[in-house]
Amino acid sequence: MSLQQLEEALPALLDIREDERRSIDWDLISAETGVVFPSDFVALAEVYPRFTIDEFLGLHIPTPGEERYFVSGMKRLLGDLADLRGSGMSHGHVPYPEPGGLVPWGDSCEGDVFFWRTSGASAEAWTVLVSGHNDDWCEFQGSLTEYLAGLVSGTVAPDGLPPDFPGATPLIEAD
């Protein structure tokens, strides 16, 4: 799914779209993390700042010039996942860079964490995995933009999330 399709499903997003492409240092992020992100996420991050949907789901998007903060936040969440695994609470999920490891891309105000599962030959084949705060682990077989557009349009169930998320007209706030 393209960024345009997400914007069609979530028109309030257009209110925070940058006029110019954001100059994110993807080479630095990749060198620090070993991750080459899916193209739909890169396209999203290059025109949108970090934002929250319905005061609930926040996307982790790097800020130009502050990529190291993005990297440190990602490493902290990977450490949290490693701690869960160490205590037997990760349901077999492992942090990246282990094969099939998870890479975080968002979180919620209730403690849910949103990941990509790094399975497949390339980042374009990664799926979305939601670690619900109630110990629900739900997978969506598609991209980040497909997942978000589906949540907003109602074609993707909010598995592991509050049943009323998102609302009929989701609020978008830039962080």
Side-chain angles (χ1 to χ4, degrees):
M1 175 169 285
S2 72
L3 178 58
Q4 180 182 354
Q5 289 167 311
L6 174 60
E7 291 169 337
E8 289 170 3
L10 190 56
L13 196 57
L14 294 171
D15 293 339
I16 64 165
R17 185 182 174 109
E18 302 276 336
D19 293 331
E20 303 282 326
R21 291 191 82 73
R22 302 168 77 232
S23 298
I24 297 169
D25 190 343
W26 293 107
D27 292 336
L28 180 137
I29 293 171
S30 181
E32 294 285 324
T33 64
V35 176
V36 176
F37 290 89
S39 61
D40 67 324
F41 176 73
V42 171
L44 180 73
E46 289 183 353
V47 293
Y48 287 102
R50 290 186 310 261
F51 64 91
T52 305
I53 301 172
D54 263 358
E55 300 178 329
F56 179 77
L57 190 162
L59 276 79
H60 302 170
I61 296 176
T63 299
E66 298 180 9
E67 290 86 355
R68 292 197 190 279
Y69 294 113
F70 174 80
V71 168
S72 65
M74 183 176 147
K75 288 181 177 180
R76 180 185 48 79
L77 288 169
L78 290 172
D80 291 348
L81 179 58
D83 291 344
L84 282 176
R85 178 181 59 179
S87 61
M89 297 174 58
S90 72
H91 296 262
H93 300 294
V94 298
Y96 184 85
E98 294 182 40
L102 305 183
V103 172
W105 60 259
D107 58 14
S108 80
C109 64
E110 292 184 357
D112 309 292
V113 182
F114 300 82
F115 296 97
W116 286 287
R117 181 193 304 268
T118 62
S119 55
S122 75
E124 304 311 312
W126 293 357
T127 58
V128 169
L129 188 71
V130 179
S131 170
H133 72 279
N134 290 325
D135 200 31
D136 300 317
W137 290 80
C138 306
E139 190 161 8
F140 172 75
Q141 300 293 321
S143 71
L144 167 89
T145 52
E146 289 172 325
Y147 178 72
L148 294 176
L151 278 176
V152 170
S153 67
T155 60
V156 171
D159 292 336
L161 304 175
D164 59 347
F165 174 79
T169 308
L171 174 68
I172 301 296
E173 294 179 293
D175 290 341

